[in-house]
Amino acid sequence: MDPLFLLLHYLRKADKEGKFQPLDQVVLDDTFPNCILLLRLPDLEKLLQHVTEEKEVDKKKYYKYSKEKTIKWLGKKVQQTVSALKTNNVNVSARVQATAFFSGDPFSSDKEEDYVCYAHGLISDYIPKELSDDLAKYLKLPEPSVPLPSPPSKKVKVSDEPIEAKEDYTKFNRKDLKTEKKNSKMTAAQKALAKVDKSGMKSIDSFFATKNKKKIEKI
């Protein structure tokens, strides 16, 4: 990996101050103190020319991040990646389609565009998204698809008013209800007896009443 990708992180961070600074004040990291080893890279000054503006004061050099230079340098990196893919006969068309980079539009028959899209994706793994988006515009790549918003779900309106019953369920035959409760307490024998046709039959009370009347007459 090109070490300039690592330096970009510190250069962009220092650019928030918007001024030229010596490189030893730019490449600082409490979490990763060994980052100062980047300052020992061979031909460091030549590398920085690709992504920074430079000033020299009293024989000391100061640097400031340049977005314009960086985009051009990244564009060259994309073209180098495309050349490497072609040299190694890497088929990228299927991979570009699999990533669903476009919004369902038909892919260009020009395979060069597929190579550029794929190379851009590889380079984007090493740079922030904002810089990746700027690079895509510089390369004139189609914009990625934007998912359509899902329609709002229909919510059932709940009313605070009490719900009125359509029928009056209190209009039951109370006589039938009492009969049902009474029958529920009867035994099976009693229920069977209740179903017998009692027409022409004397009740048990009348039978005992007759016997008692005969006893009284004897006395």
Side-chain angles (χ1 to χ4, degrees):
M1 185 182 73
D2 193 325
L4 198 51
F5 283 108
L6 300 175
L7 286 169
L8 267 179
H9 167 73
Y10 299 104
L11 291 168
R12 283 170 51 84
K13 184 178 179 181
D15 188 55
K16 294 179 180 179
E17 299 183 14
K19 61 182 181 180
F20 288 84
Q21 300 181 63
L23 203 57
D24 56 358
Q25 293 183 13
V26 173
V27 185
L28 294 173
D29 194 335
D30 295 334
T31 306
F32 186 61
N34 289 334
C35 67
I36 58 175
L37 296 176
L38 294 171
L39 302 178
R40 301 179 187 179
L41 290 171
D43 300 326
L44 177 61
E45 292 184 2
K46 291 183 179 180
L47 290 174
L48 290 173
Q49 290 177 0
H50 297 299
V51 294
T52 64
E53 297 176 4
E54 180 184 321
K55 281 186 178 181
E56 186 173 347
V57 180
D58 296 332
K59 296 182 179 180
K60 187 172 183 178
K61 294 185 177 182
Y62 297 82
Y63 299 91
K64 184 177 182 296
Y65 169 72
S66 172
K67 181 179 179 179
E68 182 180 356
K69 286 186 174 182
T70 300
I71 293 296
K72 290 182 179 179
W73 173 72
L74 290 172
K76 292 179 181 178
K77 283 292 181 183
V78 169
Q79 294 302 327
Q80 291 173 2
T81 305
V82 168
S83 299
L85 292 170
K86 290 180 178 180
T87 301
N88 291 277
N89 297 319
V90 178
N91 185 0
V92 300
S93 297
R95 301 186 186 191
V96 172
Q97 293 179 16
T99 57
F101 186 79
F102 301 106
S103 59
D105 297 331
F107 287 88
S108 171
S109 58
D110 184 6
K111 297 298 181 182
E112 183 68 19
E113 185 175 283
D114 291 346
Y115 276 107
V116 175
C117 289
Y118 189 72
H120 170 265
L122 294 176
I123 297 299
S124 296
D125 289 339
Y126 300 96
I127 58 178
K129 185 181 184 303
E130 178 185 353
L131 201 55
S132 172
D133 293 341
D134 292 335
L135 178 59
K137 293 178 181 178
Y138 174 77
L139 297 171
K140 298 180 179 179
L141 296 178
E143 293 185 2
S145 60
V146 178
L148 296 176
S150 56
S153 58
K154 295 183 179 179
K155 296 183 179 180
V156 180
K157 185 177 180 181
V158 181
S159 175
D160 295 332
E161 298 179 0
I163 300 175
E164 296 183 359
K166 295 182 179 180
E167 298 181 9
D168 186 0
Y169 295 101
T170 61
K171 295 180 180 180
F172 287 110
N173 190 329
R174 296 188 177 183
K175 184 178 180 181
D176 294 342
L177 185 61
K178 290 180 179 180
T179 304
E180 183 179 352
K181 288 183 179 180
K182 184 178 180 180
N183 291 341
S184 63
K185 296 180 181 180
M186 296 173 64
T187 63
Q190 289 173 331
K191 291 180 180 180
L193 183 61
K195 295 179 181 180
V196 176
D197 186 5
K198 300 178 181 179
S199 59
M201 296 176 62
K202 294 182 180 180
S203 64
I204 297 177
D205 293 338
S206 62
F207 174 77
F208 284 107
T210 304
K211 290 184 67 175
N212 291 335
K213 187 177 179 181
K214 291 181 178 180
K215 287 183 180 180
I216 293 172
E217 290 176 352
K218 289 180 180 182
I219 295 174

